[in-house]
Amino acid sequence: MHKIALNFEDGVTRFIDATADETVADAAYRQGINIPLDCRDGACGTCKCFAEAGRYDLGQEYIEDALSEEEAAQGYVLTCQMRAESDCVVRIPASSQVCKTEQSSYQASISAVRQLSDSTIALSIKGDALSRLAFLPGQYVNLGVPGSEQTRAYSFSSLQKDGEVSFLIRNVPGGLMSSFLTGLAKAGDSMTLAGPLGSFYLREIRRPLLLLAGGTGLAPFTAMLEKIAEEGSEHPLHLIYGVTNDFDLVELDRLQALAARIPNFSYSACVANPESQHPLKGYVTQHIEPRHLNDGDVDVYLCGPPPMVEAVSHYIREQGITPANFYYEKFAAAAA
Ligand SMILES: Cc1cc2nc3c(=O)[nH]c(=O)nc-3n(C[C@H](O)[C@H](O)[C@H](O)COP(=O)(O)OP(=O)(O)OC[C@H]3O[C@@H](n4cnc5c(N)ncnc54)[C@H](O)[C@@H]3O)c2cc1C
Ligand code: FES
């Protein structure tokens, strides 16, 4: 049995199980998800999707009009023909609603809430329901703010282990979730999670990676690095983690532990405030070296507050280098 992540156009992800002898479209249908289909015979191309990761058999019966050789080489698949040979990630060019599914919702309780510094909170949530929660490292969920109707988006900062997941949250003074977490929240409080969501997730590692984090934008990377620590990587990975003030710099011991587990992973952390006591000062962009960009043969992942993401994207464009792949996530404020 293989796990298939179906990523819909609206950012919703659903995981299904697929056996080696059923097609991905049949497996999805069996689990209540209708991938758009027409002929089911490899002739019309209606079920064409993009396989982002995994090994699979394309099938023998389809015709060139439905899927050309070139498309197949790029990673396109006909889900009415495709059979998984490993866990896979498949991008569906339709919304979750069109496919008659929606994001899942989970109820769990706070297992730990800890202020790591004035600006940063670590939150862990645990519950039996969460042992069924699957997500791709880098994705996020919407967390309900207890005592209100509102939700806030947070990237998982860990993998799910024994029904527990963690988050790294910026303490925005006066913010709704921030005020709850720094004031009222305590272990045992109930919380609702809806997701997983988002297209910012770790793809198959085919070349060196450059990971760029701003503030709590570190969260998706610690989740990705946990996954890489489990599976290994033959390519070099470098993380540059930038913050504004010394007290924003958190989780350095965790990064060090991850570096000890991942042989070709290196990282540096820098602080923008010129008054900083930290040895490395300045912005993330000041610490990107030509070898990190590897003449464009690099996959760049970038995450942080919107102005940081824009500044770094602009900087990379200015270098005249187009990375093989460039993925980013902006931690936009819900209230903005
Ligand atoms: C896809 C996605 C993933 C996210 N993941 C994370 C994450 O892993 N960790 C994390 O810390 N945040 C993350 N965010 C941001 C998060 O969802 C909230 O916006 C943030 O935590 C503020 O929530 P709040 O309820 O405390 O403040 P709100 O009540 O939403 O805001 C209060 C006031 O502060 C302003 N404000 C909100 N955020 C900021 C900010 N960052 N800087 C300055 N002013 C701000 C608002 O405009 C508003 O005026 C993510 C956002 C998105 C869209
Ligand atoms: S549904 Fe027609 S090719 Fe798959």
Side-chain angles (χ1 to χ4, degrees):
M1 191 74 87
H2 303 300
K3 277 243 167 301
I4 316 290
L6 302 177
N7 287 336
F8 299 95
E9 214 174 51
D10 50 349
V12 170
T13 300
R14 290 293 309 270
F15 283 76
I16 56 163
D17 293 322
T19 63
D21 16 278
E22 67 186 334
T23 68
V24 169
D26 283 345
Y29 187 72
R30 184 167 57 73
Q31 288 155 85
I33 300 172
N34 296 7
I35 297 175
L37 296 174
D38 193 359
C39 69
R40 306 177 71 101
D41 216 19
C44 70
T46 306
C47 66
K48 195 184 299 170
C49 293
F50 187 79
E52 301 241 9
R55 283 178 291 107
Y56 48 85
D57 178 8
L58 278 170
Q60 308 293 331
E61 305 297 324
Y62 67 87
I63 61 168
E64 172 85 14
D65 270 0
L67 183 75
S68 69
E69 218 172 293
E70 196 186 347
E71 287 174 317
Q74 286 169 354
Y76 286 93
V77 292
L78 297 174
T79 47
C80 75
Q81 305 296 309
M82 167 193 187
R83 287 176 172 80
E85 293 176 341
S86 73
D87 291 352
C88 292
V89 180
V90 179
R91 203 166 68 211
I92 315 283
S95 70
S96 56
Q97 219 178 5
V98 163
C99 299
K100 304 238 177 345
T101 183
E102 55 186 15
Q103 56 181 294
S104 308
S105 195
Y106 303 85
Q107 194 79 31
S109 325
I110 295 180
S111 49
V113 55
R114 201 157 51 94
Q115 210 157 334
L116 300 180
S117 75
D118 279 354
S119 65
T120 316
I121 305 154
L123 171 71
S124 297
I125 300 181
K126 193 168 177 164
D128 291 343
L130 295 190
S131 49
R132 294 193 308 275
L133 168 65
F135 57 89
L136 300 166
Q139 287 193 302
Y140 69 95
V141 276
N142 285 320
L143 281 186
V145 186
S148 86
E149 296 292 298
Q150 302 224 23
T151 63
R152 295 288 183 269
Y154 295 105
S155 308
F156 295 101
S157 65
S158 69
L159 301 180
Q160 186 258 106
K161 190 161 179 282
D162 302 329
E164 187 170 45
V165 290
S166 299
F167 303 93
L168 190 65
I169 298 180
R170 172 159 176 205
N171 179 15
V172 176
L176 192 65
M177 183 63 100
S178 304
S179 303
F180 167 72
L181 292 175
T182 51
L184 299 171
K186 56 183 187 320
D189 285 355
S190 179
M191 290 196 83
T192 309
L193 298 77
L197 292 154
S199 53
F200 186 74
Y201 52 82
L202 181 67
R203 290 0 191 232
E204 216 161 304
I205 305 175
R206 297 201 170 109
R207 54 181 67 77
L209 299 192
L210 176 60
L211 315 175
L212 303 169
T216 52
L218 181 66
F221 295 121
T222 47
M224 290 182 190
L225 289 164
E226 278 187 11
K227 180 81 173 171
I228 296 169
E230 281 179 3
E231 297 188 348
S233 162
E234 55 190 65
H235 296 285
L237 323 158
H238 187 68
L239 166 75
I240 309 177
Y241 166 38
V243 297
T244 308
N245 296 300
D246 286 349
F247 58 80
D248 300 323
L249 215 45
V250 296
E251 301 277 62
L252 292 179
D253 45 352
R254 189 149 167 223
L255 289 178
Q256 206 171 343
L258 284 161
R261 290 173 64 199
I262 309 171
N264 30 15
F265 168 57
S266 56
Y267 69 94
S268 59
C270 56
V271 182
N273 188 338
E275 316 269 284
S276 163
Q277 301 301 309
H278 190 69
L280 210 58
K281 294 191 190 42
Y283 294 107
V284 159
T285 46
Q286 289 166 264
H287 302 286
I288 301 177
E289 296 171 22
R291 70 188 166 97
H292 299 143
L293 292 171
N294 199 30
D295 287 330
D297 187 22
V298 62
D299 287 347
V300 177
Y301 290 75
L302 163 63
C303 181
M308 179 265 180
V309 170
E310 271 145 39
V312 175
S313 310
H314 181 74
Y315 173 84
I316 291 176
R317 272 197 307 276
E318 265 190 339
Q319 303 314 298
I321 283 177
T322 309
N325 289 291
F326 184 61
Y327 308 104
Y328 64 88
E329 181 92 284
K330 291 181 184 174
F331 280 2

